[in-house]
Each structure stands twice: as structure tokens, then as C-alpha cells.
Amino acid sequence: MAFQMLLNFALAFIWMFLSSNYTVSGFLIGFILGIIVIVMMRRFFKQKLYLVRVWAIIKLTVLFFKELILANVQVFKLAVSPKMDMKPAFFAMPTELTEDWEITLLSSLITLTPGTVVVHVSDDAKTLYIHAIDMDDVDEAIDDIKNSFEKAIMEVTKS
Amino acid sequence: MTILANLLVILPISIGVLFIVVTAIGLIRFPDLYTRAHAASKSATLGVMSVLIGVFFHFWLFENHFNPRILLGIVFLFITGPVGGHIMSRSSYIAGVKPWEGTVKDDLAEEIERMKKEQGIK
């Protein structure tokens, strides 16, 4: 990903020198032409096209903001509801992510989403221990997290 | 245009203040430390972020002063808020703070027990 981005910048600068137009708009034209060249040459790169990854990162960010707002609405409902009838629980969730930064990102995402806070990560980093504020079905909650966040993070990292 | 700018300033600040109030109510009403950590780590983060966004738009649209430090503050809060909630609840669990009686399921107790035995901590 980094290599393709650097190549794109280099192509943009080459375009600026070729057209001797050292302005922002000249750079942008070179950048867009560079994207077209990289898309045409994509079968010479081992990794995926970097635009796919950038798009995956944007999707992850949008998902994050949506879940953050939903989480706050849920806390709001719980805090102002007249009787405290929630069912808190600690449950274990196995994760397939391997890199440290992926697990850190996943636990931040889980912490900022509706009803869950990560309390402990096991020593081998294969299991996350999560505290849920209102627990009806553990398996369902695990599936939810797996299908939304873990998949979105994997989409960013797999090359 | 002025109406739109006013909306961009007033709406985030009101929402932010609302969520900060919710945090305070939650901190008082929730039964134990772990449920309070939910209120503190979520609503406080979004509340302060919304207030900062409102302040950013106020200075940008009305005073013509683009202040990137506010945006950096938002990003910093975003990264550090959940880590704070995580560290507080984890260290309290290891230090032995008991969860509320209503807690229906506790997978973590055995894991912490095993960890303490391994490292020889009582």
C-alpha cells in the first residue's frame, strides 16, 4: 500500500516537472493521471490496489461513527429509564486477528460501541473478555461484533 | 447561510451538553463500577467531541479563524477515551472489585484466577 502511494506521488511530481506547472492544480492533475496509470498496471503489483484499502478505511470510519452514536443513545435510554432492569455480563469472545495493532483497534471499536467494554485481553491475544451492559444472548452479540467490526478490519489489512 | 452556520454551531454543542448530562446521571444511577465505565467511556467521549466540533465551527464561520488544534484534540480524545475506560475496569477487576449481583455471567473470573496463580499473586 505504501509503495503504491509513493509511486503515485512520484508520478504526480514527474507530471509537474513535465508540464513545468508547479501549482496545486498541476499536482492534482498529475495525481489523477498517476491513479489511472496504476490502475492500468495493477497486475504487476503483488498487493491489492491501494484505492481498495483506502475505501475500506473510509467504510470503517463511517461504521465507527454510526455505532458511536447508537451506543450513546443506548446509554441515554438506560440512564433515564425509571427502573434498573439491565443484565450485565462478562463474556469471552475469540478473535481471529493476529497483529497487535489490529487487536488494539478492535478493542477500541468494541469499547465505543453499544453496550460493550473490553475488560481484559488474554495473554496469547486470542480471546477478548468483554463486559456487556445488557446481555440477552451471548452468541448473538459475538456474531454481531464478528460480522461488523472484525470483517471491516480484515478488509483493511488483508493484502 | 447564517441560519445554517448557527445550526452547525448550536446543534453539536446542545447534543454534546445533553450527552455530558447523561454521563453524570449514569455515573450516579448505575449500580457498579463496570456499568459506570460504560457511561464514562462512551457518552463523555462523544459529548466533549461534539462540544469541540461546535466551538470549531463557531470560530471558523463567525470569526474566520481556522483552528486545527481543535481537530487534533478531537482525534486525541477519540483515541484515548476508550483506552481509559478499558484500563480502569481492568485494573479494578484485578484489584478485586466485585461486580453487581445482577451480573448474569462471569467468564472473566476464572481467567483472572488462573493469571494470578501463574504469577503467584494472592
Side-chain angles (χ1 to χ4, degrees):
Chain A
M1 181 181 177
F3 173 70
Q4 288 180 34
M5 276 177 109
L6 277 179
L7 186 64
N8 203 342
F9 274 99
L11 287 173
F13 279 115
I14 288 172
W15 175 261
M16 280 161 80
F17 282 114
L18 282 177
S19 56
S20 48
N21 173 11
Y22 307 106
T23 57
V24 175
S25 60
F27 177 82
L28 283 179
I29 291 168
F31 201 80
I32 292 165
L33 290 175
I35 288 175
I36 293 169
V37 169
I38 288 177
V39 169
M40 282 163 71
M41 300 284 168
R42 65 184 174 279
R43 70 191 193 89
F44 295 101
F45 300 112
K46 285 197 187 70
Q47 290 186 321
K48 265 194 314 191
L49 206 62
Y50 83 93
L51 292 173
V52 177
R53 269 188 171 183
V54 171
W55 181 240
I57 292 171
I58 293 170
K59 272 202 294 193
L60 187 64
T61 318
V62 171
L63 180 76
F64 197 12
F65 275 103
K66 198 192 89 193
E67 295 285 334
L68 181 64
I69 291 165
L70 287 180
N72 280 283
V73 172
Q74 195 213 20
V75 170
F76 177 77
K77 274 188 199 154
L78 280 172
V80 298
S81 72
K83 57 179 197 295
M84 293 269 130
D85 55 351
M86 52 197 176
K87 294 198 278 298
F90 293 92
F91 64 92
M93 191 198 91
T95 176
E96 288 155 36
L97 300 175
T98 46
E99 301 288 319
D100 277 350
W101 70 267
E102 289 171 357
I103 293 169
T104 314
L105 185 62
L106 181 65
S107 21
S108 307
L109 290 176
I110 291 172
T111 302
L112 282 179
T113 51
T116 45
V117 166
V118 175
V119 179
H120 179 72
V121 182
S122 67
D123 295 339
D124 54 2
K126 291 218 172 74
T127 317
L128 300 178
Y129 291 87
I130 300 172
H131 180 258
I133 197 167
D134 196 2
M135 182 89 286
D136 291 322
D137 187 6
V138 174
D139 294 328
E140 200 183 313
I142 292 178
D143 280 351
D144 269 0
I145 293 169
K146 271 204 177 296
N147 286 332
S148 53
F149 292 128
E150 214 175 20
K151 231 168 84 189
I153 293 177
M154 274 180 173
E155 233 163 76
V156 173
T157 54
K158 72 176 180 226
S159 56
Chain B
M1 262 328 273
T2 329
I3 298 173
L4 191 69
N6 271 322
L7 264 184
L8 273 178
V9 174
I10 292 168
L11 213 61
I13 292 186
S14 341
I15 292 173
V17 170
L18 179 74
F19 279 129
I20 292 171
V21 171
V22 166
T23 311
I25 297 172
L27 282 180
I28 296 168
R29 289 198 64 203
F30 283 164
D32 68 345
L33 189 146
Y34 305 100
T35 45
R36 282 176 185 150
H38 282 266
S41 66
K42 284 175 201 140
S43 306
T45 312
L46 186 72
V48 178
M49 261 173 53
S50 309
V51 171
L52 282 177
I53 289 172
V55 172
F56 172 74
F57 276 125
H58 172 80
F59 277 99
W60 191 24
L61 299 173
F62 292 103
E63 322 263 325
N64 270 329
H65 172 62
F66 184 87
N67 195 338
R69 262 166 278 173
I70 298 179
L71 295 179
L72 281 181
I74 291 170
V75 172
F76 188 70
L77 264 177
F78 215 54
I79 298 169
T80 51
V83 177
H86 162 72
I87 289 296
M88 276 189 289
S89 44
R90 181 171 189 266
S91 51
S92 323
Y93 203 99
I94 291 175
V97 177
K98 291 272 176 296
W100 183 43
E101 306 90 56
T103 308
V104 285
K105 193 164 183 296
D106 201 344
D107 287 340
L108 186 57
E110 31 196 295
E111 163 78 6
I112 296 287
E113 199 65 33
R114 193 190 58 74
M115 224 178 71
K116 280 186 178 170
K117 209 170 278 172
E118 235 170 50
Q119 299 176 1
I121 311 166
K122 276 226 178 119

